[in-house]
Amino acid sequence: CIKGIWEKDEKLFDAKDNTIKQPFADSRGNIWIFYRQINGNIYSKIYISGQWGENTPVTSDAGSIVDLFDDGLGNIWLFWWFSEGGTSGLLSKTWSDGRWRDNTVVIPASSGADKAIADIFASPNRDIWAFWMQGTKLLYRRYTSGQWNDVGENLAENVFKIFPCSNGDLCFIW
């Protein structure tokens, strides 16, 4: 709906055999849609300046899309599970300055199916935090100054929720 008038229907992509992640608006007002094809390829499509762009390949051989968001600095972050040879982990990719950057390992690959995402978000100071449960341990990584820090271990056990507090600290409920 632009200026109170609905535009005509437009087919953005073939939804058959695709898993669509919730569309969202970035900090500049652009609309993003991400979808994963049955073969594991992830694509994005952006609505900018009144028109839809092309379907843009983001990555191939991906597992499920875990999260995506705008970090408030104009960068779009995408996170997805990957698996190879009986191991699994979490990868990310960012859209910055008009292009997708390289895949980055967030949660290193390890065997076992006992990993679960607790939360991923940008904090008020623009650091990116990734928290996950492995067994009963809460592990984390923080992206700051252009790189992911080493894995931090065992902040708490059986965490229920993690979120940025209004003062910039991190809050945990367990």
Side-chain angles (χ1 to χ4, degrees), residues 33-54:
I33 295 177
F34 287 84
Y35 61 97
R36 180 183 172 275
Q37 294 179 325
I38 198 165
N39 64 6
N41 296 335
I42 295 176
Y43 288 82
S44 67
K45 194 168 189 90
I46 183 172
Y47 185 82
I48 187 170
S49 300
Q51 61 186 355
W52 285 103
E54 297 297 317

Side-chain angles (χ1 to χ4, degrees), residues 54-169:
E54 297 297 317
N55 293 318
T56 304
V58 179
T59 191
S60 60
D61 298 327
S64 59
I65 297 173
V66 173
D67 206 352
L68 47 101
F69 55 81
D70 183 321
D71 64 8
L73 298 173
N75 303 308
I76 305 302
W77 289 77
L78 172 67
F79 296 86
W80 70 94
W81 284 115
F82 74 94
S83 61
E84 58 183 34
T87 65
S88 65
L90 187 74
L91 291 174
S92 74
K93 194 170 222 177
T94 56
W95 171 271
S96 181
D97 298 324
R99 69 181 181 90
W100 285 105
R101 304 300 177 176
D102 292 335
N103 294 352
T104 303
V105 174
V106 179
I107 299 175
S110 63
S111 60
D114 62 346
K115 288 188 282 280
I117 294 295
D119 218 341
I120 304 170
F121 55 83
S123 66
N125 68 356
R126 306 295 191 241
D127 288 348
I128 307 299
W129 290 86
F131 294 89
W132 69 99
M133 298 297 298
Q134 190 155 345
T136 60
K137 293 181 180 180
L138 176 66
L139 306 178
Y140 71 94
R141 288 191 79 189
R142 179 174 68 136
Y143 183 86
T144 187
S145 302
Q147 65 184 13
W148 285 99
N149 293 342
D150 292 337
V151 173
E153 290 191 33
N154 215 18
L155 291 174
E157 292 191 11
N158 300 314
V159 169
F160 173 70
K161 183 69 177 161
I162 304 161
F163 55 94
C165 300
S166 60
N167 66 358
D169 291 341

